[in-house]
Amino acid sequence: VGAPAAAAVDAYVEQTVACPGPEFAEVQRRAEEGGLPAIEVSAAQGKHLELMVRISGARHVLEVGTLAGFSTLWMARALPAEGRLVTCEVEPHHADVARANLDGAGVGETVDIRVGPAEDTLLSLVDEVASGARPPFDLVFLDADKAGNPRYLELVMEMVRTGSVIIGDNVVRGGAVLDAESEDPDVQGIRRFLTLQGQHPRLEATAVQTVGAKSWDGFSLAVVTDG
Ligand code: SAM
């Protein structure tokens, strides 16, 4: 399938089933106005994340990599009234745009944006979960620097429970994930991330290739088990 056809099918999926409301166009308008890169998930993928939150019955969601809050909004609106989402972002300007977007979309109260390097934020969250100050996370979406994914996974495993779901984005990278000799730290990060999931005694995982408006890539999906 050529890229134009894949993008056209994504547009068709968006119109027929994903059906983003006007609040998502507003998120993208603010992102563009703020000069943020257009590297958010597609609407089809955002709806997929929303459905994963619904299907898993998640109440506490953790996201690593906020950007303008596009994927954040898809997941936040799937949460029950008492649900909460924590999202980690290193760029203060991205966090500011996301805050305006999430407040504007009416989920501001649901979302806690933590600004700083994800590793530092995750270390704080590990302490909060260990002390009982917050419950473990039911669903985690990793979508920041992919070189950091192995470390993020290690920390995430300290704050999930049996049955929690872990999703990773950009795990195919146009096929570059196959290159064991790659000098791209993100490719090596993803390779290690997938290997860790395949070998982890408490994870059952897979990865699904995708093709669409965001080119040839894929999501990883894992569930936490008793081991
Ligand atoms: N999840 C977003 C969406 O689909 O709407 C897209 C996230 S974008 C691919 C990655 C984001 O992660 C960027 O906003 C970037 O600034 C942030 N980021 C990169 N490295 C980071 C780090 N070490 N800690 C926290 N955030 C980071």
Side-chain angles (χ1 to χ4, degrees):
V1 178
V9 171
D10 240 16
Y12 172 72
V13 168
E14 185 173 333
Q15 286 157 20
T16 51
V17 285
C19 305
E23 64 276 23
F24 289 98
E26 186 62 11
V27 166
Q28 284 169 314
R29 189 197 61 73
R30 278 205 193 89
E32 201 179 328
E33 191 180 84
L36 273 58
I39 52 173
E40 75 280 6
V41 297
S42 67
Q45 292 167 335
K47 183 69 177 279
H48 180 86
L49 290 170
E50 175 185 328
L51 295 178
M52 291 302 296
V53 171
R54 287 188 195 279
I55 292 164
S56 64
R59 286 158 187 258
H60 296 277
V61 170
L62 170 63
E63 177 179 60
V64 182
T66 317
L67 194 64
F70 188 77
S71 53
T72 320
L73 176 56
W74 281 103
M75 294 189 287
R77 70 184 206 151
L79 289 169
E82 73 281 13
R84 292 290 178 267
L85 188 155
V86 180
T87 184
C88 313
E89 175 55 57
V90 73
E91 293 289 342
H93 176 55
H94 294 185
D96 287 346
V97 173
R99 174 48 63 203
N101 274 331
L102 297 163
D103 288 349
V107 296
E109 299 280 294
T110 304
V111 181
D112 177 7
I113 305 175
R114 301 274 185 110
V115 183
E119 183 175 4
D120 295 352
T121 302
L122 294 178
L123 283 164
S124 302
L125 290 168
V126 165
D127 286 345
E128 290 172 33
V129 172
S131 69
R134 69 164 55 248
F137 291 100
D138 306 309
L139 185 142
V140 179
F141 178 47
L142 296 178
D143 190 23
D145 57 315
K146 285 24 181 212
N149 269 20
R151 176 65 174 148
Y152 303 156
L153 180 65
E154 185 183 11
L155 294 170
V156 161
M157 290 307 294
E158 294 184 40
M159 41 186 170
V160 287
R161 55 163 178 82
T162 298
S164 293
V165 173
I166 302 171
I167 301 169
D169 196 12
N170 307 125
V171 301
V172 173
R173 319 191 68 77
V177 69
L178 294 176
D179 184 2
E181 309 305 322
S182 174
E183 291 180 7
D184 181 339
D186 288 333
V187 169
Q188 291 300 344
I190 289 295
R191 287 178 61 85
R192 183 84 191 124
F193 175 60
L194 291 175
T195 300
L196 286 171
Q197 290 184 84
Q199 296 176 346
H200 201 291
R202 290 195 64 212
L203 288 175
E204 282 296 335
T206 189
V208 177
Q209 302 183 64
T210 58
V211 59
K214 299 279 171 177
S215 75
W216 178 26
D217 214 325
F219 273 132
S220 65
L221 174 66
V223 66
V224 179
T225 68
D226 287 335

